[in-house]
Amino acid sequence: MEDGNKQDLMRTIQVKFPRLSKGQKLIAEYILKHYDKAAFMTAAKLGVSVGVSESTVVRFANELGFTGYPKLQKALQELIKNKLTTVQRIELSNDFVSEESALKGVLKSDMENIRATLEKINHKTFEDVVNSIFAAKKIYIIGLRSSTALAEFLGFYLSLISDNVKVVGYGISDIFEQMINVAEGDLVIGIGFPRYAARTIESLAFAQSRNAKVVAITDSLLSPLAARADYTLIAQSNMASFVDSLVAPLSVINALIIAIGLREKEKISSTFSDLENIWEEYQVYSFKESD
């Protein structure tokens, strides 16, 4: 989110401050000082931290022009999404989940990410992306930092279906050297979540300058990847800890692979039939001997 938007929210709090009730002023002061912590507190917890009732927190959100506290909380989360350092995330995660509830807390959070993704994702865009993959002369996939795992996963399965796939990543040659032949008719798929890797953003801009089609798999239409893409698939990424939740993005990538696979059934059957013979001959997997 732009600094301007941050200033807008903080400025609104400052402008409204003189007219707030005593309890609401305490909330305002807390948010102005600790907006990074407030972004991940429920209304009840924020109330306890400040020493006011939950209903006072809700009224405060209304006073700022939000229809409810969750809308204010979302605005705060958007505001800090790309600004938190890993150290700050670790501190926040201490409040977010205690050790004994880590399993439950994280799994529930991931379920929520998938549910939100299902609501947000544009089905027409998804179809357009599938069509673009089939139409592309060559497909370049780029995802760096924590998104490397997603890029490799997508690349692994697309390579089994098609021989025109290249996963771009850190290595002996620079990323731009690996993309030097990108041209019109090619497709570049960029994957990135907060904190966004600068090289991924630059690579998508480079692809567009070469008239290639660009697909972004990212967390928001406000993402810098989306700004450089023809098609954007939105997947919710929860960043309330130092580990990025990639469950929803991976689910979207799975759906892409399956959708492509359904159109290429015969080719895939033939490919996997050949692979099974190779795997058996070279003992790639542990094949159970028959009795």
Side-chain angles (χ1 to χ4, degrees):
M1 192 171 245
E2 296 292 327
D3 278 346
N5 291 347
K6 172 184 170 179
Q7 295 306 330
D8 289 348
L9 179 55
M10 294 308 184
R11 185 88 190 107
T12 302
I13 294 173
Q14 287 164 339
V15 168
K16 300 250 183 189
F17 193 84
R19 297 196 300 278
L20 298 176
S21 69
K22 192 179 171 186
Q24 289 173 353
K25 280 181 177 167
L26 292 173
I27 302 166
E29 283 169 355
Y30 185 87
I31 288 176
L32 289 170
K33 283 182 196 162
H34 309 289
Y35 65 90
D36 54 345
K37 284 191 177 168
F40 298 100
M41 289 180 174
T42 60
K45 187 159 185 195
L46 180 54
V48 168
S49 298
V50 176
V52 299
S53 68
E54 186 176 350
S55 59
T56 304
V57 175
V58 174
R59 280 197 296 276
F60 171 76
N62 295 337
E63 195 66 40
L64 293 186
F66 294 97
T67 51
Y69 176 74
K71 287 272 175 24
L72 168 59
Q73 190 182 30
K74 193 162 189 330
L76 287 168
Q77 287 177 2
E78 284 292 328
L79 184 148
I80 63 167
K81 192 181 278 180
N82 204 28
K83 301 218 167 20
L84 279 188
T85 64
T86 304
V87 174
Q88 286 171 311
R89 287 190 189 193
I90 292 168
E91 286 170 4
L92 285 173
S93 69
N94 294 339
D95 295 337
F96 176 63
V97 280
S98 58
E99 266 183 58
E100 59 271 23
S101 69
L103 179 65
K104 211 179 233 178
V106 172
L107 263 64
K108 279 170 90 171
S109 172
D110 280 338
M111 284 164 66
E112 172 57 27
N113 282 335
I114 289 181
R115 189 196 61 74
T117 300
L118 191 56
E119 282 179 11
K120 286 180 190 174
I121 203 154
N122 186 310
H123 292 264
K124 170 74 168 68
T125 305
F126 183 85
E127 281 304 310
D128 288 340
V129 172
V130 172
N131 291 332
S132 298
I133 288 170
F134 278 104
K137 286 181 196 163
K138 184 153 188 173
I139 298 162
Y140 294 82
I141 301 167
I142 180 163
L144 303 173
R145 316 289 298 174
S146 58
S147 294
T148 301
L150 296 172
E152 292 285 356
F153 185 87
L154 177 58
F156 175 78
Y157 280 101
L158 279 190
S159 295
L160 293 176
I161 299 165
S162 175
D163 58 3
N164 64 343
V165 178
K166 180 181 177 71
V167 177
V168 176
Y170 296 122
I172 294 170
S173 58
D174 187 79
I175 281 153
F176 290 115
E177 288 169 21
Q178 296 169 53
M179 294 178 68
I180 194 69
N181 295 319
V182 168
E184 196 167 347
D186 292 340
L187 178 70
V188 177
I189 302 174
I191 307 170
F193 295 86
R195 306 158 84 190
Y196 310 102
R199 261 294 192 254
T200 304
I201 300 161
E202 290 163 359
S203 300
L204 299 193
F206 174 72
Q208 281 198 322
S209 74
R210 291 294 188 91
N211 296 320
K213 272 266 189 323
V214 175
V215 168
I217 300 174
T218 189
D219 66 311
S220 160
L221 288 170
L222 299 173
S223 151
L225 278 76
R228 292 154 182 85
D230 298 290
Y231 304 112
T232 300
L233 291 175
I234 302 296
Q236 182 131 321
S237 168
N238 181 335
M239 42 72 74
S241 180
F242 61 97
V243 177
D244 295 312
S245 172
L246 300 177
V247 172
L250 185 59
S251 200
V252 170
I253 286 168
N254 268 338
L256 267 182
I257 294 163
I258 298 294
I260 291 155
L262 288 171
R263 287 203 202 170
E264 289 278 8
K265 265 187 188 162
E266 284 177 24
K267 185 179 177 184
I268 289 173
S269 294
S270 161
T271 301
F272 274 96
S273 178
D274 290 345
L275 282 171
E276 283 295 341
N277 294 331
I278 293 165
W279 291 338
E280 192 161 7
E281 187 180 339
Y282 290 97
Q283 296 183 326
V284 171
Y285 294 109
S286 174
F287 287 90
K288 191 178 175 185
E289 290 182 19
S290 52
D291 296 328

